[in-house]
Amino acid sequence: MTDPNNKPRTVICVGDIHGYLTKLLNLWSNLRSQIDPESFNTAIVIFLGDYCDRGPDTRKVIDFLITLPKRYSNQKHVFLSGNHDFAFGGFMGVLAGEFEAKETWMEYADNEEREGWYKGEGYEKMHLQGRRWGGWIKAKFNAAKGIDYKGSIYDAAPTFESYGVAHGSSEINTLRCSFLKWLLRLVLSHAILVEILEELMKAVPEAHKKFLADMVWVHEEDDVCIETQEGVKHCKLIAVHAGLERGKNVREQLEFLKARDARVPKVTDLSGRKDVWDIPKELTETILVSGHHGKLHIEGLRLIIDEGGGFEGNPVAAIVLPSMKIVRDTDKFS
């Protein structure tokens, strides 16, 4: 991890981007300006997941990310899957491994109508989270976030639109509210949904499908330096989108995450909240870094880097180790 001159290798952890290309480009520029060129060009850059949804530029965000390994060949790039990316991959049919789709639905079947799960062409083989991602939610307002939903419960409509495909939720909701009889609504809604999947499958480039398929669920580094009040510490680092689940064996969780076993209806370590907030007690001298939570929270070795939360007016942030410096897309450096 450290170089022959005992200079710690720089580690950059980038929070949730959520389809905001301008924020990503500004953040990258600020990181380049604030880190010396040698350290920046050889850094380990860990993207903490959630590249899609909410913002308008998912396609361009992924275009940028997949060029980084060639443009910065001496950097090491890690692309973690967020819960939004997992769901996008589930809709596109590129999740790793084999699973029985219907078995991922059963536990949450009572939510299907309220959440508006996708039920168009190909849904029978689709993971639960893919159906939730590509569907349309009945409720217009997301009370938890204080904003309107954007199409589905995952706010996926802007992702569709970034690939030039209409999500279809507005057309379907119009049908619901019109005077047309239920049979006409049913027929036309199904036709719209068939077209949605076909069009998105054609519009998403193969390189983007590969990006979704190849994302890892967890990343570990054995020797990362971090500046603390007691001086510089050498620690293990674990990066996972939401965190590690409280009360469950850490080793078993890590093995599960490395296997990317999509047979479960949801991956708590990618989507949990309070149950993944803290560092498990059995971990010592270990940095646990995540995004996901819509907060910037640093407590000891627990780092949560998601200041943006997918909100248009919030910054996208990164943390730089070992210095613990926070860099944002909105920073103005002279």
Side-chain angles (χ1 to χ4, degrees):
M1 180 65 198
T2 54
D3 68 19
N5 297 319
N6 295 319
K7 182 180 179 182
R9 188 172 181 181
T10 295
V11 178
I12 304 167
C13 300
V14 179
D16 301 25
I17 299 162
H18 275 301
Y20 287 102
L21 178 67
T22 299
K23 294 182 184 184
L24 173 59
L25 296 179
N26 289 340
L27 175 63
W28 193 256
S29 176
N30 284 343
L31 288 165
R32 288 185 62 185
S33 72
Q34 292 302 295
I35 302 171
D36 72 82
E38 180 182 357
S39 296
F40 181 78
N41 289 327
T42 58
I44 299 171
V45 187
I46 303 172
F47 292 90
L48 297 172
D50 279 0
Y51 313 106
C52 63
D53 301 340
R54 298 189 178 143
D57 302 315
T58 290
R59 177 174 186 151
K60 293 178 181 178
V61 164
I62 296 178
D63 278 338
F64 175 83
L65 295 175
I66 63 180
T67 67
L68 291 178
K70 286 187 177 180
R71 293 172 55 206
Y72 297 90
S73 58
N74 291 324
Q75 288 181 341
K76 177 179 179 179
H77 302 96
V78 177
F79 301 106
L80 289 177
S81 175
N83 56 315
H84 285 255
D85 315 307
F86 178 92
F88 185 7
F91 188 78
M92 298 301 296
V94 297
L95 294 179
E98 296 183 2
F99 57 88
E100 182 60 44
K102 291 183 180 179
E103 292 183 3
T104 70
W105 310 343
M106 291 186 294
E107 183 178 349
Y108 299 95
D110 290 345
N111 298 336
E112 180 173 1
E113 183 177 353
R114 178 179 61 84
E115 294 181 348
W117 297 0
Y118 176 83
K119 202 170 182 179
E121 185 75 15
Y123 87 94
E124 299 92 345
K125 298 181 180 180
M126 195 173 286
H127 192 281
L128 166 64
Q129 300 307 327
R131 292 190 64 195
R132 296 176 78 226
W133 185 85
W136 70 92
I137 189 164
K138 285 187 174 182
K140 181 180 179 182
F141 187 70
N142 184 339
K145 294 186 178 294
I147 57 175
D148 286 346
Y149 284 107
K150 297 181 179 180
S152 73
I153 197 167
Y154 275 100
D155 298 321
T159 297
F160 280 77
E161 291 159 8
S162 77
Y163 289 98
V165 177
H167 176 255
S169 57
S170 60
E171 291 93 332
I172 292 168
N173 284 330
T174 297
L175 290 171
R176 283 179 174 160
C177 299
S178 73
F179 61 90
L180 296 176
K181 292 183 179 180
W182 71 267
L183 180 59
L184 179 59
R185 291 204 307 266
L186 179 64
V187 171
L188 292 179
S189 295
H190 179 74
I192 290 168
L193 288 170
V194 170
E195 184 178 354
I196 286 171
L197 180 60
E198 290 178 349
E199 291 300 312
L200 193 64
M201 289 295 292
K202 292 176 184 176
V204 175
E206 291 302 316
H208 290 211
K209 294 175 187 175
K210 185 177 188 303
F211 178 81
L212 293 170
D214 290 348
M215 282 183 295
V216 297
W217 294 6
V218 67
H219 179 73
E220 297 176 90
E221 292 285 342
D222 288 330
D223 185 13
V224 172
C225 290
I226 185 170
E227 293 181 5
T228 70
Q229 292 182 341
E230 294 79 32
V232 176
K233 284 186 176 182
H234 289 258
C235 299
K236 181 182 178 69
L237 180 143
I238 298 173
V240 58
H241 180 65
L244 295 174
E245 194 169 358
R246 180 175 55 239
K248 290 194 174 181
N249 181 276
V250 169
R251 181 181 59 80
E252 292 177 358
Q253 287 188 71
L254 294 176
E255 289 177 356
F256 167 78
L257 291 167
K258 290 174 185 176
R260 300 191 298 165
D261 187 344
R263 289 177 294 179
V264 296
K266 70 175 182 177
V267 182
T268 301
D269 295 356
L270 306 188
S271 62
R273 295 295 182 185
K274 293 181 180 179
D275 47 354
V276 295
W277 181 265
D278 298 316
I279 295 182
K281 293 180 180 179
E282 65 189 273
L283 288 179
T284 59
E285 300 298 305
T286 301
I287 303 163
L288 179 59
V289 61
S290 303
H292 180 63
H293 294 277
K295 292 178 173 64
L296 181 66
H297 175 83
I298 298 173
E299 183 177 358
L301 298 179
R302 180 60 170 131
L303 313 179
I304 296 175
I305 314 299
D306 181 24
E307 197 166 17
F311 288 90
E312 184 176 0
N314 290 357
V316 172
I319 191 167
V320 181
L321 305 178
S323 70
M324 296 284 286
K325 181 179 179 67
I326 300 295
V327 179
R328 299 173 175 86
D329 72 287
T330 53
D331 291 336
K332 305 297 182 183
F333 298 110
S334 55

